[in-house]
Amino acid sequence: MPVSLYSDDASNSGETDNLIFEGIAIKYDLKSNPEWWHVKWCVRIDWNSLMHESDMKFLQLLPMEIEKHPNDLPALHKFLIYFKNHGMDKDSMLKNLEKIKNQCDFKAKDVLIDLMNFVIGWCSVR
């Protein structure tokens, strides 16, 4: 049976940022480990589905922001800064931007490349 799961976690800045992931619930076979009588179900986790809630929110909201503000890079920079200030690190942000870039139309790719360049330069400065 497919299941969606989460685990408590926090961002680099200490804010709640739960891990979410998908898996398959499997009825546990007590014959192989009878001492685990209290275990009824196990989950085989799809490790490729693992992400923080902030990553999921970022992946959902950024395409809408680009659609609303396609030529307003300062507004899009503010969007990225919001996620940085709430604990998203440079590598996660770049990975998420790359995912969106690989799924978007040709016009949005230029905007995403500009945003990636912004993240590379701005996140390097502390």
Side-chain angles (χ1 to χ4, degrees), residues 21-35:
F21 45 98
E22 304 294 319
I24 302 292
I26 301 165
K27 187 151 176 66
Y28 190 71
D29 180 9
L30 292 175
K31 293 176 195 152
S32 58
N33 288 346
E35 66 276 9

Side-chain angles (χ1 to χ4, degrees), residues 8 34 74 105 111:
D8 297 339
D105 64 26
V111 172

Side-chain angles (χ1 to χ4, degrees), residues 36-60:
W36 289 13
W37 58 268
H38 59 286
V39 176
K40 303 292 184 216
W41 293 89
C42 295
V43 174
R44 182 175 296 132
I45 296 171
D46 174 4
W47 292 106
N48 293 324
S49 71
L50 181 70
M51 71 171 68
H52 282 98
E53 283 180 317
S54 62
D55 292 326
M56 187 168 74
K57 188 185 298 185
F58 185 92
L59 291 167
Q60 290 171 341

Side-chain angles (χ1 to χ4, degrees), residues 71-103:
N71 300 314
D72 188 358
L73 284 176
L76 297 172
H77 291 171
K78 285 181 185 177
F79 178 89
L80 298 181
I81 291 167
Y82 171 85
F83 279 88
K84 179 186 182 201
N85 290 341
H86 286 83
M88 185 176 286
D89 63 34
K90 176 181 174 179
D91 292 337
S92 295
M93 193 172 290
L94 287 171
K95 181 180 77 173
N96 290 330
L97 287 166
E98 186 68 34
K99 278 183 189 177
I100 295 168
K101 183 174 78 79
N102 291 336
Q103 298 172 351

